[in-house]
Amino acid sequence: MTKPAHSPTLVVCRDDQHASETVAKMFADLIRTQADAVLGLATGGTPVPAYRELVRMHREEALDFSDVVSFNLDEYVGLAPDHPQSFRYFMQEHLFDHINIAPANTHVPDGLSNDSDEHGRGYEKKIAEAGGIELQLLGIGHNGHIAFNEPGSPVDSRTRVVDLAEDTVQANARFFESIEQVPRQGITMGIGTILESRRIVLLATGSGKAEAVQRAIEGPSEPSHPASLLQQHPSVTFVIDDAAASHLA
Ligand code: F6R
């Protein structure tokens, strides 16, 4: 596959909390220097403490989100925004409802769109019209997925509907009452969309992510491990804790 052109910056923190605070500070520093920054945001278990820290900074340090614009990576197909397991609901619960971001400035793909191709194109257009994403937050799946770009996703993929890998359905079942309730499809920014962000920060914590992190950084850059395609971007920082760094050479 394409030769990796760049090595990511690696920040290894002593624990999950420290890693989360490091990521929150990257976003806060950006917002303080550029009040109308365009942020790319992620959901899942990993970013929750980082969002908690941003909420604290808003309350205690007057971190001002009033001109900030955000675009989330993905959403489950079939879940309404007010469904407690939808990613829109997650963002309201963990961040948006606790800061002064303008609701109209927050964007999450629509899991109920009946024309997903058109919706995907429109989402990309909105990102472009906002000036592109300045700093994109990513997590990583055990199988190396970024957003809902599962293994095999092309490097030039755009916002689209995808089938979720069995591994992803199983990993996300912890948020639902039963595995049967986990949607089987998602609408996600593509790898190409993500690689257009000016800066990317991938947050990974815990030993369960160690192998995926090792392959992303030290493995070949190829679609079988989507996070390894980040090697093709000039400004990626991996912020990880000791446990997630434990498989690195
Ligand atoms: C969610 C997303 C996913 C998660 C990944 C890790 O918006 O983009 O790729 O980042 O599945 O999820 P957690 O953090 O729950 O381990």
Side-chain angles (χ1 to χ4, degrees):
M1 195 41 227
T2 323
K3 262 187 125 203
H6 310 277
S7 300
T9 301
L10 188 57
V11 179
V12 181
C13 301
R14 62 177 178 273
D15 58 22
D16 171 349
Q17 182 59 26
H18 213 216
S20 303
E21 286 170 10
T22 301
V23 165
K25 187 170 181 312
M26 287 173 73
F27 278 90
D29 287 349
L30 169 62
I31 294 164
R32 288 195 176 108
T33 52
Q34 198 181 321
D36 60 352
V38 180
L39 314 182
L41 301 177
T43 57
T46 310
V48 170
Y51 292 150
R52 199 180 301 131
E53 176 64 4
L54 285 172
V55 170
R56 188 198 65 74
M57 287 169 157
H58 169 65
R59 288 185 179 151
E60 296 176 13
E61 299 170 14
L63 183 62
D64 181 11
F65 290 81
S66 56
D67 289 328
V68 165
V69 175
S70 72
F71 288 90
N72 264 78
L73 288 166
D74 46 10
E75 179 57 282
Y76 285 117
V77 167
L79 297 196
D82 62 355
H83 188 290
Q85 267 70 46
S86 75
F87 289 167
R88 163 57 78 176
Y89 191 98
F90 172 101
M91 291 309 301
Q92 295 300 139
E93 187 183 22
H94 291 285
L95 186 64
F96 299 154
D97 285 348
H98 312 289
I99 59 175
N100 65 333
I101 196 165
N105 284 355
T106 69
H107 305 87
V108 180
D110 180 3
L112 294 184
S113 166
N114 47 24
D115 187 344
S116 52
D117 287 350
E118 180 58 30
H119 181 62
R121 277 192 296 275
Y123 202 69
E124 299 264 344
K125 193 160 171 261
K126 277 190 200 153
I127 295 173
E129 284 169 358
I133 292 169
E134 188 60 39
L135 180 59
Q136 174 67 59
L137 176 61
L138 298 177
I140 185 170
H142 300 110
N143 64 0
H145 76 211
I146 48 175
F148 273 146
N149 294 283
E150 302 287 15
S153 298
V155 68
D156 59 355
S157 47
R158 313 301 311 188
T159 304
R160 68 207 186 288
V161 167
V162 296
D163 293 335
L164 304 189
E166 192 50 38
D167 184 83
T168 302
V169 172
Q170 279 177 19
N172 290 1
R174 70 191 197 278
F175 298 115
F176 292 79
E177 276 172 22
S178 73
I179 194 164
E180 287 72 37
Q181 292 178 3
V182 184
R184 300 288 155 151
Q185 288 190 312
I187 178 160
T188 181
M189 283 189 203
I191 306 273
T193 324
I194 291 168
L195 291 178
E196 278 172 7
S197 309
R198 285 189 279 286
R199 286 190 291 144
I200 296 171
V201 55
L202 187 147
L203 174 62
T205 52
S207 57
K209 298 293 173 67
E211 191 192 336
V213 165
Q214 188 275 332
R215 284 187 64 189
I217 296 176
E218 296 174 351
S221 180
E222 56 188 26
S224 61
H225 196 71
S228 70
L229 297 171
L230 297 171
Q231 295 171 19
Q232 298 177 30
H233 190 285
S235 184
V236 178
T237 304
F238 277 68
V239 179
I240 60 180
D241 64 1
D242 277 338
S246 59
H247 286 203
L248 293 173

